[in-house]
Amino acid sequence: MRLKCLGCEALARIIYLCAAHSPHIVDVTLCEIGLHNRPGELRKHLQQEIDQTDPEKYDAVVLVYGLCGQATLGLQARNVPVAIPKAHDCITLFLGDRARYRQVFEEEPGTYWYTNDYIERKAGTTVALGTGIETNLDEVYEEYVEKYGKDNADYLMEVMGAWQAHYRRAVFIDTGVGDGADVARRAQEQAERRGWVYQRMEGDLVLIRRLLNGDWDKDFVVLQPGQETVVTYDDEVMACRAITSLPHSDGP
């Protein structure tokens, strides 16, 4: 098979590694990390890429994305099948399993996640992958420092209780791809500074490897031409159905 792979920059190293080991020809296109914050725009971008896929050249499109703020909700297959992991977000892809994601999320929902590609491709900042929280606490703090000075920023954050309100743990996911020592150090420093628990967690590339190998079983949704994705609101995360509407608009 020849696969057209659309993936997020946050998983760049892993995608390239799995593509290199795939038995199939895999053409990789990476999408900007920042599109995660604009799910409507990300959905539109992915749909355009799917629509432009040449069925004479490709056998299928594979998306290295999860539901990702419902950015993949309502995506439609046109001329070739589209395979998507049943994942809430990229954390599931890093951990390799929906059940494992659910377990670690239930242990501590307020977790900041650190991974090599995400930190590197955010221009070396300490911005991390938060779970279920839209506001980036680092950016809030930096904005306060710029506007009011460090002492006032520290006071405002303490009064707001923002550091502790949502997050209590910093986790570095070690995928074994690339040198993660610097990112792990940053995660540990952030945890110490904010009074969080620091944890190093082993990643698992199995979902992405199977996606790019064409091993699409119950852990994947495979849209046939004329089908679209729907949210199931259960452990299955998403499913497919016959297209019932036009593609989603630019809105979230």
Side-chain angles (χ1 to χ4, degrees), residues 31-217:
C31 304
E32 177 194 345
I33 287 178
L35 288 174
H36 272 99
N37 299 325
R38 307 186 297 277
E41 188 176 337
L42 175 56
R43 183 188 305 118
K44 180 180 179 181
H45 177 75
L46 293 174
Q47 188 64 63
Q48 287 176 339
E49 288 285 348
I50 292 170
D51 292 348
Q52 293 168 4
T53 302
D54 183 356
E56 297 297 320
K57 181 177 181 180
Y58 293 105
D59 296 287
V61 174
V62 294
L63 301 183
V64 191
Y65 281 95
L67 190 56
C68 296
Q70 299 198 352
T72 57
L73 170 63
L75 287 180
Q76 301 176 351
R78 305 297 193 192
N79 303 312
V80 298
V82 178
I84 313 173
K86 293 180 179 178
H88 292 90
D89 52 35
C90 58
I91 302 302
T92 306
L93 302 180
F94 282 116
L95 296 178
D97 183 78
R98 280 174 289 156
R100 187 182 180 199
Y101 171 89
R102 183 173 62 254
Q103 177 185 347
V104 298
F105 180 78
E106 289 175 352
E107 287 174 357
E108 181 50 77
T111 299
Y112 242 34
W113 301 91
Y114 292 77
T115 64
N116 282 3
D117 281 305
Y118 192 83
I119 300 300
E120 290 171 347
R121 291 171 182 266
K122 294 294 283 187
T125 70
T126 53
V127 175
L129 291 158
T131 300
I133 305 297
E134 295 296 329
T135 302
N136 188 294
L137 299 181
D138 280 330
E139 291 179 357
V140 172
Y141 179 70
E142 290 167 5
E143 180 182 352
Y144 283 173
V145 170
E146 182 178 350
K147 287 184 177 180
Y148 310 116
K150 185 178 184 305
D151 290 343
N152 289 329
D154 289 340
Y155 172 74
L156 287 171
M157 296 306 290
E158 182 179 354
V159 171
M160 290 172 60
W163 296 128
Q164 299 297 332
H166 300 303
Y167 298 106
R168 296 182 179 85
R169 179 174 68 171
V171 173
F172 168 64
I173 303 178
D174 186 358
T175 62
V177 181
D179 183 1
D182 183 59
V183 176
R185 176 186 57 78
R186 293 188 195 188
Q188 191 164 12
E189 289 176 353
Q190 293 285 327
E192 291 174 356
R193 179 162 68 89
R194 298 170 183 168
W196 297 345
V197 173
Y198 168 74
Q199 186 176 353
R200 189 185 190 105
M201 194 173 293
E202 185 176 348
D204 192 334
L205 312 186
V206 63
L207 272 179
I208 300 175
R209 185 180 297 117
R210 287 166 53 204
L211 176 66
L212 272 59
N213 284 355
D215 181 15
W216 306 325
D217 62 3

